[in-house]
Amino acid sequence: MYELAKSEEVKRLIAAAKSDSGVAGPELAKIHMRLGELLAGEMEGFYPADTTIVAILRGGIFFAEGIYFRLNCRFQTYDPKHEAFIRPNTPNVIIVDSVINTGKTIEKIIDDSMTIACCVINEKAAPLFHRQLYTVRVSKNSFVGCDVKKQSGNRGPDTTMRLFNQL
């Protein structure tokens, strides 16, 4: 597992991206893009013609775009709620999501040749992808994302809804 070093910029971006920050919409999307770009700067061995970014919809799209902009590779999306996963025909595949809570969605599609990138992963899910994982941060928090503005108990603001200004 690779976890992004916490420079002052990264610390500031993480604080703004957290669910309790109140940041949403285009501002949050830009933060996700920048964090993706910073993480991609640490990813080695991914050559443009040999690599495909697969953004898990909808929450992974902006983070994946940041990685895509930096790596200059191929790009596609995957909607686990509405389609079957088809592995791209490139040697390197990077599955990208903004938040990995349990890892169940990714466990269904991943193989040993793929890499995973995310903004945040729950500490219980991180060991599932240890060798294949690039992340901005690991979190102890775990809650069900829903249509609320503040976290209360095990319910908190859904990242995708925040990204698309739907809260």
Side-chain angles (χ1 to χ4, degrees), residues 43-97:
M43 300 171 84
E44 297 179 2
F46 295 99
Y47 303 102
D50 295 337
T51 304
T52 303
I53 301 293
V54 178
I56 296 182
L57 295 181
R58 290 182 322 161
I61 194 84
F62 299 111
F63 187 66
E65 286 175 346
I67 296 170
Y68 169 69
F69 295 152
R70 182 70 179 255
L71 296 182
N72 191 30
C73 56
R74 298 174 185 200
F75 188 94
Q76 68 183 55
T77 60
Y78 165 59
D79 184 348
K81 294 180 181 174
H82 298 103
E83 62 190 6
F85 179 75
I86 299 171
R87 188 192 191 285
N89 289 326
T90 54
N92 299 310
V93 175
I94 305 171
I95 306 294
V96 181
D97 205 352

Side-chain angles (χ1 to χ4, degrees), residues 23 28 35 46 56 84 90 102 115-116 125 133 154 165:
V23 175
L28 181 59
L35 286 168
F46 295 99
I56 296 182
T90 54
T102 65
T115 300
I116 300 158
L133 179 64
N154 69 343
N165 243 347

